Amino acid sequence: MQSPCLKEVSEVCLSSCCPAPLFKFSAHHDAMSKPRSTSAACRRDFAATTSSSIFPNTQFTNHESLPSLQESFSDFTKVYPRYQETAQVDQIRAQEYYHLSQSNHTCLDYIGIGLFSSSQLHKQESSSQLNSDFPFFSISYKTGNLKTQLLHGGQESELESAMRNRIMDFLNISANDYSMVFTANRTSAFKLVAESYPYKTSRKLLTVYDYESEAVEGMINNSEKRGAKVMSAEFSWPRLRIQSAKLRKMVVSKRKKKKKRGLFVFPVHSRITGSRYPYVWMTMAQENGWHVLVDACALGPKDMDSFGLSLFQPDFLISSFYKIFGENPSGFACLFVKKSAISSLESSTSTGIVNLVPAKKLLQIAGDSSGTDTELEQISRLGLQLDALGTASSFSGLISNHTTQTRRLEREGYQSAEEGANLTGLETSEIRESETHANLIKDKNSRSSRYGDSLEVVCRGLDQVDSLGLMMITNRARYLINWLVSSLRKLKHPNTEGFPLVKIYGPKIKFDRGPALAFNVFDWKGEKVEPVLVQKLADRNNISLSYGFLHHIWFSDKYAEEKGRILERREGGVKGMDANKLKAKSDLGISVVTAALGFLASFEDTYRLWAFVAQFLDADFVEKERWRYTALNQKTIEV
């Protein structure tokens, strides 16, 4: 089915929140052809045009009736003609990340910011010998005092200094205002804050997450052990917006006397549903005596450009970096602490802070070894790091540990649900070392940082994002995610009721939604297909998805009947009379399939996901896949 040809009538002139004209109206929007003066009008027009122009008056009840990729793309560019202006992204993808097209792989499970490109890695591999200067770097773990490290620093290598400068420059964070430490992963960063925060005088911990996160759960557990009173925001069904009245009651202090009330942990937007949260909550928390921690791990790669750090100045900020999109999800996290807030921290000895170690140093350790069992074990472990490219052992990159290696593991059968991918599979509390190949050669076209006397750190991933800019990256993601949402909602089962195949949680078609999506697939009887099964079948189709668990959902009386039907208990949840009330409540929620669009996502990626999900319109699709799997002489695991 084709969308009607959209006649150019006018372009929407967008304000600061709508930085450029995004789409053109069709003739039936002539009444709205004049540029709107408010951002609210821009948002309404965008949603209305998207809803009415993508497969208008059409429902797809058979996966074979879907239009082709080429036909769909033609219609897509008529709805969003300015998508063509983002062609530079496709050029970067083709030249620097050609492994994605070679493997025909769609990666929709990466979160964070990529440091390097695949081309950069392989050029370095082909041109460097193992004993050349710094072709690799790894991370080493150390036990230390966060407060001391922030106040006085530590012995820092030239590599660490260069990487620190590059990252702070990329995020627009001033070294005059913030101190930074590298941490093993996102979980470690949260844990470090929890173990150093002064809960004796500022007793409360208030979090704003609509999904289960291992990093946040770890922070909560550590904080409770240190005497913190833990609270959480709730999210109203069905749109999963912040339940404002309840959160305001928790944030606002009734006392006139200013006193630090505790730690307010704010993620800016949900990395699962794509919901964006008003920044006013940060201001309100600060005005009422809270320290504010901003979780920036789910932000887009250039979103810090529009965040307004100098305006809000949070006390803590956590950001995550992975190494190579679609190839090496391991990486590290960065914990930034406002210099004026360091003095309030308590001294505590913790693990989780890491050093960046050049491979040359690892080789020197091996060469200088006296051969003791302990040294040999250490050298062996370090050596394995250099060969472990692609090991999913970090906080960032893949939101699941269901990496591309899973396709090889399928020959031995499916992973169990516990071992398989989940939202925070990589956010493991067990610290494991990881590595990356980094092209550290000088590139005159790159914004690189000095490394030693003659070499510079070149982070091609960061350079590419800088060259594209906030507007191009944001607009491209906006077009793709809204097309995907609209198209998924067009899939209906071929029965008389026209039961929808897909249920989307959180925002639907929306101008300022994030590029993440939480959804479930339902069969023709209205029964949910387990998210882990959807993920496994997607993986067979070379599409990497993840799954997560939505919680802290609040139902008004209007939806009381739905509540019992919708909520499920998370596996391993607390039970019994003695269970913590908050934890017991958070164990009730909804397991969902998740997809995240990175800056390299293309229309073909979103189309492939749509076409894959449409296959569930065939009532026998799952059974056919099971038989097909058995026919390939692969071990069958009951799913």
Side-chain angles (χ1 to χ4, degrees), residues 533-541 612 616 621-622 625:
L533 176 57
V534 175
Q535 184 205 38
K536 290 173 180 177
L537 294 177
D539 193 69
R540 288 193 200 168
N541 287 266
F612 161 72
F616 286 89
F621 172 61
V622 174
E625 285 294 300

Side-chain angles (χ1 to χ4, degrees), residues 569 572-585 587-588:
R569 185 170 293 279
V574 293
K575 298 178 181 179
M577 297 296 292
D578 296 330
N580 178 286
K581 186 177 179 181
L582 178 63
K583 288 185 177 179
K585 199 170 185 179
D587 282 333
L588 291 175

Side-chain angles (χ1 to χ4, degrees), residues 103-121:
S103 62
N104 194 31
H105 187 212
T106 295
C107 297
L108 300 175
D109 56 352
Y110 269 66
I111 283 290
I113 301 170
L115 292 170
F116 310 107
S117 72
S118 179
S119 173
Q120 180 181 7
L121 160 67

